[in-house]
Amino acid sequence: MKVLVIGATGTVGTAVASALEASHHVVKASRSGPVKVDLEDPSSLDVLFDELPDLDAVVCCAASGPLVDLVSAADGEITAGVRGKLLGQVALARRALRHLRDGGSVTLTGGTFSAPLTGGSLGALINTGLEGFVRNAAGELPRNLRINLISPGWIKETLENTDPCTSHQPGAGADHPFGPGPLKIRPIFQDA
């Protein structure tokens, strides 16, 4: 299979591309890689798909939504988060579905909080929007195309770069807002 991995230079994308390369032809794309794409620039998506015919699958590991204070966050912060992770992945999916071979697959990346999280309202908005989009889009797809959403949870490297004042410790219990601790991401994407 010919698989396009968006965000292939990030923590998740690097692991996913590496896992898929064992049995597929993987094209790695990112804002900083040799194959350039930016989810916030729809024209870069158009160029990307024009240059990559005959794709069997697209996996998006790019984009993130910041933790922001609901009361003090500027409108621009909220808009930027929605534009990148939510609307960017929707734009990617719409274009991918027009260019995939019959029976092809699109996998997007969301997230989840196991409990309310201070600063997590924007993330909840984005992730719930992605869930609703994928759930409904799956019923609309022609040509045996598929769309999936993976919500891998918190990644160790993300936690290490998070504010050190947070109460999360790797391996925290399932009732902790960050969930049961860092996850191994490769199997999650390989099974999608």
Side-chain angles (χ1 to χ4, degrees):
M1 286 178 44
K2 186 175 180 181
V3 181
L4 170 62
V5 176
I6 307 278
T9 58
T11 301
V12 174
T14 298
V16 169
S18 175
L20 293 173
E21 284 177 320
S23 55
H24 304 291
H25 171 71
V26 175
V27 178
K28 301 175 189 175
S30 68
R31 287 183 295 199
S32 62
V35 178
K36 302 270 189 217
V37 69
D38 184 345
L39 292 180
E40 294 187 37
D41 178 7
S43 66
S44 76
L45 294 168
D46 294 330
V47 169
L48 178 70
F49 285 108
D50 287 344
E51 294 177 355
L52 290 174
D54 304 321
L55 287 170
D56 296 293
V58 174
V59 178
C60 184
C61 303
S64 62
L67 295 177
V68 297
D69 181 71
L70 181 62
V71 175
S72 65
D75 289 342
E77 289 178 273
I78 302 297
T79 301
V82 171
R83 183 177 50 249
K85 187 171 180 180
L86 175 59
L87 297 179
Q89 288 193 92
V90 169
L92 170 67
R94 291 179 53 243
R95 285 159 175 82
L97 294 168
R98 293 192 296 254
H99 289 88
L100 287 171
R101 293 182 189 189
D102 289 356
S105 174
V106 174
T107 301
L108 305 179
T109 299
T112 187
F113 306 129
S114 60
L117 174 68
T118 301
S121 295
L122 175 60
L125 168 68
I126 292 166
N127 294 326
T128 302
L130 283 167
E131 289 172 18
F133 169 73
V134 168
R135 186 180 310 112
N136 200 79
E140 298 180 30
L141 301 182
R143 305 184 293 115
N144 293 318
L145 294 171
R146 295 167 288 131
I147 188 166
N148 302 288
L149 179 69
I150 299 295
S151 297
W154 289 92
I155 308 302
K156 178 182 176 200
E157 291 79 3
T158 302
L159 294 173
E160 290 171 351
N161 292 321
T162 301
D163 182 348
C165 295
T166 63
S167 62
H168 177 73
Q169 297 295 319
D175 60 338
H176 192 281
F178 285 132
L183 301 175
K184 295 202 179 281
I185 56 178
R186 289 183 193 191
I188 295 170
F189 282 87
Q190 284 177 296
D191 294 339

